[in-house]
Amino acid sequence: MARTVYYVASSLDGFIADEDDKLEWLFQFNDADGVKESYEEFIAGIGALVMGSETYKFLLDNGGEGAWEYGSTPTWVFTHHELPGIPGADITFVRGDITVFHPNVVADAGDRDVWVIGGGELAAQYLDASLLDELIVTYVPVVLGRGKRLLPVTTTTAPAALTGSRTLGSGMVEHRYKFAQ
């Protein structure tokens, strides 16, 4: 059965983007030891993607002309805006409660996992609805002070179980947490 996983990088103080939705603070670590391998290992098990409109727009703006690195992987974009599609990509734009669409997302993933790419608000909705199975977060040795929060949940969760941890590059730590369902 597909798991729903939030795979993300965060500053030490819990932000996934600065207050202007910029990621330059993170990009300086792209070539660090283990980062590419961690991503490739993770993405190999993904059958469907879920993201909010800001994440989708960021990918459009920063992917280059015609670049969509996720190929034909089914992608669900939760949005209140009209957004352009991408030729050849399997993208479904939806409005509404994630619990209504989640069974369809899981069906699209088949026997692979669902990646909640972001942002934090969408991932928090998944966690609040008890639909998030795992958090894989890489803490980057940078403090932002403000920005887009990692998981702005509305309720306190039960303790998550730490299922793994490893060092990436110089100073980054990837933690894997399983949430109780």
Side-chain angles (χ1 to χ4, degrees):
M1 183 166 170
R3 298 172 309 141
T4 302
V5 182
Y6 183 31
Y7 177 87
V8 65
S10 173
S11 66
L12 291 177
D13 53 346
F15 297 103
I16 60 173
D18 71 16
E19 60 189 343
D20 297 319
D21 289 324
K22 303 290 186 208
L23 297 177
E24 281 72 20
W25 61 273
L26 175 61
F27 293 153
Q28 65 185 315
F29 296 94
N30 281 354
D31 295 328
D33 289 341
V35 171
K36 180 179 178 186
E37 294 80 6
S38 172
Y39 175 76
E40 288 173 351
E41 174 186 306
F42 173 75
I43 198 74
I46 297 303
L49 311 168
V50 175
M51 66 185 73
S53 62
E54 293 302 315
T55 299
Y56 181 73
K57 287 189 275 188
F58 178 85
L59 292 171
L60 288 179
D61 292 345
N62 294 282
E65 185 68 28
W68 179 248
E69 69 178 272
Y70 306 110
S72 61
T73 302
T75 302
W76 293 72
V77 179
F78 284 82
T79 182
H80 296 290
H81 309 285
E82 295 298 323
L83 297 169
I86 299 170
D90 181 1
I91 300 173
T92 304
F93 298 98
V94 294
R95 291 184 174 105
D97 189 322
I98 60 163
T99 61
V100 172
F101 297 100
H102 187 65
N104 296 342
V105 174
V106 170
D108 273 358
D111 61 350
R112 302 172 97 193
D113 293 336
V114 173
W115 178 14
V116 180
I117 296 180
E121 294 280 343
L122 184 64
Q125 290 175 41
Y126 268 85
L127 187 56
D128 283 341
S130 298
L131 295 173
L132 192 62
D133 299 304
E134 186 176 13
L135 167 65
I136 303 172
V137 56
T138 300
Y139 287 101
V140 177
V142 172
V143 176
L144 297 178
R146 63 179 75 84
K148 305 296 180 175
R149 293 179 44 214
L150 173 66
L151 274 170
V153 295
T154 59
T155 60
T156 302
T157 68
L162 180 65
T163 60
S165 185
R166 65 180 168 181
T167 302
L168 301 174
S170 178
M172 291 183 293
V173 180
E174 179 184 274
H175 293 298
R176 291 175 172 262
Y177 293 98
K178 182 177 181 186
F179 292 106
Q181 298 295 327

